Amino acid sequence: MRLSFLILLLPFAACAAGNDGDAFFREKVRPILSEQCFKCHSHEANKVKGGLVLDSRQGILTGGDTGPAAVPGDPEKSLLIKAIRYEDDDLKMPPNKGDGKKLPDASIAILTEWIKLGAAWPDEPKGQKMTARPRGVITDEDRKWWAIQPMAKPAPPKLGAHPIDSFILEKLNAAGLKPAPPAAPEQLARRIYFDLIGLPPTPEQTIRFTQAAKADSARAVAELTDELLASPRYGERWARHWLDVARYAESDGYRADEYRPTAWHYRDYVVRAFNSDKPYDRFVQEQLAGDELWPGDADATTATGFLRHGSYEYNNRDVVEQWTTILNELTDVTGDVFLGLGMQCARCHDHKFDPILQKDYFRLRAFFAPLSWVDDRDAATAAQREEYAAKLKTWEEKTTDIRAQIEAIEQPARERSRKSAIEKFPEDVQAMMLKPDGTRTPYEQQLHELAFRQVYFEWARLLTHVKGDDKDRLVRLQKELSAFDADKPLPLPLVPSAADVGPVAPPIRVPKRDSLGDIEPGFPTILDETPAKLTPLTNSTGRRSALAKWLTNPENPLSARVIVNRAWQYHFGHGLAANASDFGKLGDIPSHPELLDWLARRFVADGWSLKKLHRLIVTSATYQQAAAGTQVATAAKAAATIDPENKLFWRYPTRRLDAEQVRDAILATTGELDLDQTGPSAGADKPRRTIYTKIMRNTRDSLLDVFDMPEGFQSTAQRNSTTTSTQALTLFNGTWILARAKALAARVIRESSSDEAERAATAMRVAWGREPSRDEITGARKFIAAQSALIDAREPEMKPVTLNTDKMPFREGRGVVLTSGSMERLVMKNSPSFPDGDFTIEAFIVLNSLYPDSQVRTIASHWDGSKAHPGWTFGVTGKQSRYKPRTLVLLLNGQGTLGKDSEAVFSALNLEVGKPYYVAASVHLADRHDGITFYAKDLSNDDLPVQIVTVAHNTVAGIRGDGDFTLGARGTKGHVWDGIIDDVRLSRVALPAEALLLNSGQQLHEATVGYWKFESSSGIYSDSSPRGNNIEARIAQSKPADPRAAAFVDFCHVLLNSNEFLYLD
Amino acid sequence: MPCSNFDPLFTRRDFLTRAGGGFGALALSHLLSGTSLGAAIADKNPLAPKKPHFMPKAKSVIFLFMEGGPSHIDSFDPKPLLNKLAGQKIPESFGKVITAMGEFNSPLLASKRQWKQHGQGGLWISDWLPHTAECADDIAVVRSCVADGINHSTGVCQMNTGSILAGRPSLGSWVNYGLGSENQNLPSFVVMQDNPASVVNGPRNWGSGFMPAVYQGTRIESGSEPIQFLHNPDGITAEQQRGKLDFLKTLNSHHAESRLNSELEARIASYELAFRMQAEAPDAVDISKETEDTRSLYGMDRKETAKFGGMCLLARRLVERGVRFVQLYSGAGSKWDAHSKIESNHGKLFGETDRPVAGLLRDLKQRGLLDETLVVWGGEFGRTPMSEKGDGRDHNPTGFTMWMAGGGVKGGQTIGATDELGLRAVEDRLHVHDFHATILYLLGIENLKLTYRYKGRPENPTLNEGEAYRKIAG
């Protein structure tokens, strides 16, 4: 593909200036003021210097601290002219320091002429700022914008051994600053580990590095860098940076916030790409156009997930608007991520400050105009596909008959639900959807596909559209079908991906500007005003390939600069250009433009290798400077007025760890970190690395939230680092962190001698990555002793064991967390108030897993588990259930119509693992024809109806047991719950639907036997009903804690809260 | 040249003293981008009180959010034509709109309400709101609101953040950012809801989007632990907790001595603040100290109004203590979403909220707080004149009612109008951006001048749009 960067070199045909005051001002005067003065002297300036604003005639005539800036008609008396001519040593503008220097004579002449002519300031169109650009025009000034200049080929000044240091020293010398001394080896080890792999070094690793560094520091750094870059942990750290900019999340982000169960394939792809040092140009090409460039390649397919990460509203009937929103989002994110330009400003009008035209926005959007979402592509190998097909064939042959019967029931239901889903759309969309396949225009096909997702949504819950006998038959047939599951191949890994809707793109226009005609794909006009040259493919327009190739052309002035600057920012806390995703004029110009260009060129020459770039940066003295210490403090005094923000890199900054580093470091420190790689995401309660935890857009983990993890709605170029009291509360009082403190104490006790001083020292070594001083050890011992005395003096408390609570998704408040295999039992002593006839049991639950065998995950039971004893139990069937897995079931052990009976009443309501539900069973015991009515409601989607099933039963009496009433287990007989149990209510009657917790605001009524809410406000264990059936958590109550041990846990907890743990030098 | 006003780095001690145990820290550039918001900008505490752009009429806001979309044509915007045409299809002259559930062609549904004019201003208010009606002369009803989202998620998102797309700071966060807080011991942006269901979109409705988390809203609940993790953990005594805190402070102070990062001091301060909050928050939410008369004014002595009444009373206690922005959700989890059975649905919800809301207005007034407290009422949209499922109404963002009271608002006036069936706003249309701009205007903030630099670009609360409806102040 040929690029026309040449246009940059063409001289700009300047507009005629002269007597026409307006044009003279607009074309000549304002560009100078705007470019040279506004940074410090306008309403847009961060800080207005000298009280002077030059962005209006009024501002100039009023002047600043030293008086009016101009006397119209008399340049010689105008301070502005004096200043720019450098006539007065105390008033030189722009200041002759940093990047500033005296204006060229031509510019001085223009401003002089302008004031001589009366300093006219033509009115701006209403509503536009003075700095706004004229519409549709690229000016001379625009073409000087640093970001679009071809990358320079600067040679490093000969000032340091390392090219980066040379560039940095040049600026420091010019500013009269000195670099900080090298960081201590321990500090450096901690810095390099956290920076490259996101985890702290172990004490042994620190010692190893420190010793190596004493012998040969440069070599030790180089070797450690290579070792860490080769570690799989590296990709897990740096992929997260990319996920930030790629606005990666695993849920839809609207009301239902539906989980995207296969989104993680993209996350794994990014981790792999970083670990294998995939060249960045290829990485970009795969994400934008993997389907076109490497069809069938698993990585390339997965990479196009980038085009799918935007949020999606599953029930939006306005698909026209929705599709526009989707394409806009993609355009915005592409501008941010790859171009480093704030394209979205140009969606409604020319960018007000940067030379990006409104047309340019739509030229960029046009690359995505033919996009189509693909959900049925797999990331499998050819061999896997073959095996799958063969196995599937066998299964299909064996099940032909059953499937035909199922189809006979399902087909009409599908047809009904399709019809009712389509009818909800506006008529024009309905018409598109009803057209025969193959007759739609590309645009109609896109809207059809988008709208038809709502039909698929209905089909996925087809059982709710089947009624009566058919439903029973269908359940039975599906059960029969599942007998052949062993023959069924495991599904291929399907990944969210993208393609073009066909070889022809739908036309795209700028809204309300039909005069511009159909917009062809193209790049920002200022870079290349011709339309992109396309090579169409059989089923694709080739548009995205053209974009990807243009972006990865080695001479593209933006791409390499943008990614190199991002990497620099992650290494140093701030970039060489301040705004990593917007190189526009509102941001500062880069602090070290030559270094940026040198790095960008080097990066491209190194085969777009990020690992080589990391190595280059980490091995520089600039990176290895100290962040703390007396010498830095001295240096800081010198820099306080010249460069307080450390823009010139005269030291390394002390920075807070980011959310993932905090969580991973805590788990690494306690020794609990699970380094399993890849695969589906885990809950935040699991000790996997944070990059592998589930990212729901609307339900955020409280720890990651308070440490500023991005929401995943927009590309995030740089994270906030905030300090709030909520953060302090979470880290000081939260249940999760307290459990980690215990784990850290246990680890230290396990791994160190019994000497308390040595234990304290070990804990500090692990947490801070350095050898503690003698004073620090003494301080620790004093604290532990004092704390231990406090604990010892405490009155013995009769508090029951503390169970973990967690936020219940889609509900407020907390529920109790039970894990399979745990010993906690939530027990209520038998009481006469417990039901012996009709009853209703209700609960809000999340089930995390099924038993692999036929055991039941128990929600509640009043049974000791012995067939000889009466009782009942309510739960969810296991994988080997004789009925069906995942089914809500009530087991009754009592008197049947024919004598003693023990029966399992299956509801036919299936729960999905990981989803929050309200479930209930309302039992008419004596009158078995009224049956047992089961309820299940998926709380993650308000639009889904409550599922209700009534089932007949045989047991009619005698179900009251003599033992305890238990939540989350079948008495002492196991069948334990795994997940969350929130509000549970037991009633002595068979409640009608309208009286259920789900439907009625009334929480207590006469028949309420117990209502357990697990809220700390009301008491986690207390019964909110007046019967006082409080829970006893009957785990073997640990003996009165060893005060010394408890104090040591407190010590570990303080360490995990300490700034030295949470900040990096 | 005058020297830059950048604070030198060695002012940690000063900072601690000045910020009174400052609440947080963030890049100074973020603060400075607050443009001309007064001298307090140099202060590093992001929640220090700041001067507004111009003389404010209101100091704080109580936003009563009826989540799910209350019907304007059954509450504040009577449409006689609707009852005349009931059962028929909407006449073509009204034009087409896209509705969430595709109910555009369903027959028009009559309103069963009795309507009367109330107060000196003669506001039309239906019999669902007898108590609010008695406060008619404090209320300015805006009948011409317009929003962009046809579904709850987009609607609630926009009414909170200005955009139907997620990711932007909520209005409360902007106000926090612009004005800071009068009380550093309580969260300055507080959210409550009437039932445990999740508000549509969850906590991001009161999130700070791309702004630092220090500006986000905090969920509080009545009861002994109003804020998550506010209490000492089980089994940890106050002395033990204090012992840990003191030791932490020793470690952190030592650590901060040789380092150059004001965040380190802010973090030390944040622990102290957290524990001052621990002392003040339970007292702030302790409504047992209110008199019986006050409690009954809010309907706390009645089963149906006790919950929302308690929330309204809490809201008053919070604004009294300088909390800047309080948002109360009625019907959390889209309970106002009456796609069917609107009579029983709205009857119940108005029954739960009408008396408490009126009680709030009266109580604020009798305490002299109404002048400085802006009360805002409404949902994410209204409802259609067309029926759904025979006895319900679909979503209607093209014309709906919100009202404001107090905070400098001239009561007893009706602003704007919808067409004869209440489908679209036709006079003095106030888009959500205009509505937000109006709220900001009453707080002394010019919506387009309150800017925050994000990714190098100046962002503002109303997405470069929105004009305050200044006439609302009379």
Side-chain angles (χ1 to χ4, degrees), chain A residues 358-369:
Chain A
Q358 188 185 11
K359 186 177 67 179
D360 291 345
Y361 184 86
F362 290 87
R363 278 157 65 91
L364 183 59
R365 201 175 96 174
F367 286 107
F368 302 107

Side-chain angles (χ1 to χ4, degrees), chain A residues 386-397:
Chain A
E386 260 174 50
E387 192 193 328
Y388 174 83
K391 234 180 154 185
L392 187 67
K393 193 157 169 272
T394 318
W395 176 80
E396 283 179 347
E397 284 164 6

Side-chain angles (χ1 to χ4, degrees), chain A residues 881-900:
Chain A
S881 161
R882 64 189 157 90
Y883 179 71
K884 202 178 174 198
R886 298 193 285 117
T887 303
L888 212 49
V889 62
L890 185 72
L891 305 171
L892 296 171
N893 218 34
Q895 293 297 319
T897 42
L898 302 171
K900 226 165 107 46

Side-chain angles (χ1 to χ4, degrees), chain A residues 107-120:
Chain A
S107 300
I108 295 176
I110 286 168
L111 292 182
T112 310
E113 176 74 3
W114 173 61
I115 290 180
K116 197 169 160 191
L117 291 172

Side-chain angles (χ1 to χ4, degrees), chain A residues 596-768:
Chain A
L596 181 58
D597 281 4
W598 183 85
L599 284 171
R601 286 226 175 257
R602 169 80 179 252
F603 174 69
V604 173
D606 277 344
W608 304 80
S609 161
L610 278 161
K611 284 194 177 179
K612 285 183 179 154
L613 179 63
H614 297 311
R615 198 173 193 284
L616 193 62
I617 290 174
V618 173
T619 53
S620 71
T622 304
Y623 178 84
Q624 294 170 33
Q625 292 177 94
T630 46
Q631 282 174 290
V632 178
T634 315
K637 274 189 185 137
T641 50
I642 303 169
D643 181 25
E645 290 172 283
N646 192 30
K647 281 188 178 167
L648 299 177
F649 303 97
W650 49 267
R651 66 176 166 103
Y652 195 81
T654 297
R655 289 192 280 162
R656 200 197 70 206
L657 301 180
D658 64 28
E660 292 83 356
Q661 286 174 318
V662 167
R663 185 174 170 279
D664 290 350
I666 291 171
L667 290 168
T669 304
T670 64
E672 296 168 292
L673 186 63
D674 170 357
L675 286 176
D676 266 4
Q677 285 183 270
T678 76
S681 297
D685 56 326
K686 300 283 186 301
R688 303 267 316 264
R689 272 201 86 166
T690 308
I691 193 168
Y692 298 118
T693 58
K694 220 180 240 188
I695 306 170
M696 302 295 287
R697 286 187 160 114
N698 292 347
T699 313
R700 290 156 61 72
D701 176 70
S702 54
L703 181 81
L704 300 175
D705 187 44
V706 296
F707 281 102
D708 305 290
M709 183 168 172
E711 291 181 309
F713 287 105
Q714 301 181 3
S715 172
T716 300
Q718 188 167 18
R719 292 196 181 186
N720 292 313
S721 175
T722 51
T723 296
T724 61
S725 52
T726 324
Q727 190 185 83
L729 290 171
T730 306
L731 223 47
F732 217 67
N733 294 342
T735 41
W736 186 83
I737 189 77
L738 286 161
R740 303 288 78 71
K742 277 185 190 149
L744 174 57
R747 175 197 170 169
V748 169
I749 289 167
R750 202 163 58 234
E751 293 179 5
S752 109
S753 74
S754 59
D755 177 57
E756 194 173 78
E758 180 49 31
R759 281 183 180 169
T762 305
M764 286 187 274
R765 269 181 219 120
V766 177
W768 295 341

Side-chain angles (χ1 to χ4, degrees), chain A residues 129 345 349 352, chain B residues 168 433 447-448 451 458-466:
Chain A
K129 300 233 172 62
C345 296
H349 46 70
K352 285 193 174 170
Chain B
R168 296 191 61 89
H433 294 144
N447 55 309
L448 297 182
T451 57
E459 298 284 355
N460 58 53
T462 50
L463 294 89
N464 302 323
E465 292 170 6

Side-chain angles (χ1 to χ4, degrees), chain A residues 149 374 646 878:
Chain A
Q149 304 307 316
V374 179
N646 192 30

